[in-house]
């Protein structure tokens, strides 16, 4: 069983479109995250949710809107896609929001904006 | 704000040779330290972490890292590498502030050749 899953694995779209990436974890964790990994492999946190509540919101354009319908899901919706949004997006989860918790990562979604 | 520096973007080694991947961090408060590994086309996995206690921490596959507070370093070592260790290695830090926010270094690509 996959612990943290993301769909789709690949997403190719045109500039200006709106797209969503879904994330699900079956680990029973309380905290979920979204990260962006750019073409140079630099990984940066975007959002963090704990028990469906937003706790970290980095300086991300408001075209990005996370939604957590329940503790096991954290989806990412992106409006008006731009070329610079091309990246690999990783979802992760941890038992809770404590600083020392291990994060478990999904396989990533490679977004290409043309 | 915390930051992490991984000076080596790529480290080529021969199989069975020792390796050290360097990591230095900067923070004004106490931190927890992590090494994550990313195999090709996969998400990140925790390799090891330092929370407290012994400054030398070990992973199940032969890696170890030592927390050096005076030098603000957390270098990763392995006495004898295998081909299968070829991957991207990320050092990360989380300040002890009440919730987890991982800040990653830019990664070091370990290339093991026969």
């Amino acid at each position: 069983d996959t612990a943290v899953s993301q769909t789709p694995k690949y997403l190719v779209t045109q500039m200006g479109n709106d797209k969503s990436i879904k994330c699900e974890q079956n680990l029973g964790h309380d905290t979920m995250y979204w990260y962006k990994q750019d073409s140079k492999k630099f990984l940066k946190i975007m959002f963090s949710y704990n028990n469906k509540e937003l706790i970290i919101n980095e300086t991300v354009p408001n075209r990005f809107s996370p939604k957590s319908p329940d503790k096991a899901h954290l989806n990412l919706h992106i409006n008006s896609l731009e070329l610079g949004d091309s990246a690999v997006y990783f979802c992760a989860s941890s038992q809770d929001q404590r600083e020392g918790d291990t994060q478990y990562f999904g396989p990533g979604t490679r977004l290409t904006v043309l | 704000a915390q930051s992490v520096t991984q000076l080596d973007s790529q480290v080529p080694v021969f199989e069975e040779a020792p390796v050290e991947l360097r990591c230095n961090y900067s923070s004004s408060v106490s931190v927890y330290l992590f090494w994550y590994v990313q195999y090709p086309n996969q998400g990140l996995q925790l390799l090891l972490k330092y929370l407290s206690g012994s400054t030398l921490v070990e992973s199940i596959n032969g890696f170890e890292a030592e927390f050096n507070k005076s030098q603000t370093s957390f270098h990763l070592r392995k006495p004898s590498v295998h081909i299968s260790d070829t991957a991207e290695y990320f050092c990360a830090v989380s300040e002890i502030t009440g919730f987890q926010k991982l800040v990653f270094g830019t990664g070091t690509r370990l290339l093991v050749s026969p």
Side-chain angles (χ1 to χ4, degrees):
Chain A
D1 277 347
T2 304
V4 182
S5 59
Q6 295 178 228
T7 53
K9 191 170 175 62
Y10 300 97
L11 187 52
V12 181
T13 188
Q14 300 285 335
M15 270 197 318
N17 284 351
D18 303 337
K19 290 293 177 187
S20 291
I21 306 171
K22 296 187 175 182
C23 177
E24 177 180 1
Q25 55 95 2
N26 62 6
L27 298 168
H29 288 169
D30 286 345
T31 308
M32 296 184 73
Y33 311 80
W34 274 112
Y35 289 88
K36 179 181 180 180
Q37 186 176 47
D38 63 23
S39 58
K40 295 183 179 178
K41 297 272 188 176
F42 182 58
L43 197 66
K44 187 168 169 36
I45 190 165
M46 301 172 69
F47 302 102
S48 169
Y49 270 72
N50 186 62
N51 274 321
K52 303 194 299 175
E53 300 222 0
L54 182 67
I55 55 173
I56 294 176
N57 184 350
E58 289 295 284
T59 49
V60 177
N62 57 16
R63 298 183 293 105
F64 290 79
S65 52
K67 282 191 172 49
S68 182
D70 55 58
K71 278 192 338 179
H73 296 84
L74 180 61
N75 304 322
L76 184 66
H77 188 75
I78 316 170
N79 289 325
S80 303
L81 279 155
E82 300 177 357
L83 292 177
D85 298 332
S86 294
V88 181
Y89 291 84
F90 287 100
C91 176
S93 72
S94 62
Q95 184 66 54
D96 60 31
Q97 59 183 323
R98 290 173 300 177
E99 303 94 328
D101 266 5
T102 297
Q103 291 193 19
Y104 294 82
F105 285 76
T109 295
R110 184 174 293 276
L111 171 64
T112 303
V113 183
L114 303 174
Chain B
Q2 70 269 43
S3 67
V4 178
T5 302
Q6 292 181 251
L7 287 174
D8 305 307
S9 60
Q10 188 164 290
V11 173
V13 292
F14 289 108
E15 197 174 17
E16 297 184 6
V19 70
E20 178 180 82
L21 307 183
R22 295 180 292 168
C23 172
N24 288 89
Y25 70 92
S26 172
S27 175
S28 56
V29 301
S30 297
V31 298
Y32 292 142
L33 293 154
F34 305 78
W35 275 99
Y36 280 83
V37 58
Q38 184 178 26
Y39 297 104
N41 300 312
Q42 293 185 28
L44 281 72
Q45 306 170 33
L46 179 73
L47 193 57
L48 47 75
K49 62 182 176 182
Y50 171 78
L51 303 183
S52 64
S54 172
T55 56
L56 184 66
V57 289
E58 298 175 354
S59 71
I60 57 173
N61 55 358
F63 283 94
E64 64 179 31
E66 184 151 25
F67 169 53
N68 187 321
K69 189 174 182 180
S70 62
Q71 296 186 7
T72 59
S73 68
F74 191 52
H75 300 331
L76 182 70
R77 302 183 187 94
K78 189 169 184 180
S80 175
V81 295
H82 302 292
I83 298 282
S84 59
D85 293 324
T86 294
E88 193 88 24
Y89 291 80
F90 292 93
C91 182
V93 62
S94 181
E95 290 185 331
I96 303 173
T97 55
F99 59 89
Q100 181 167 121
K101 178 184 166 184
L102 280 180
V103 172
F104 286 88
T106 48
T108 296
R109 179 152 182 76
L110 177 63
L111 286 167
V112 183
S113 50

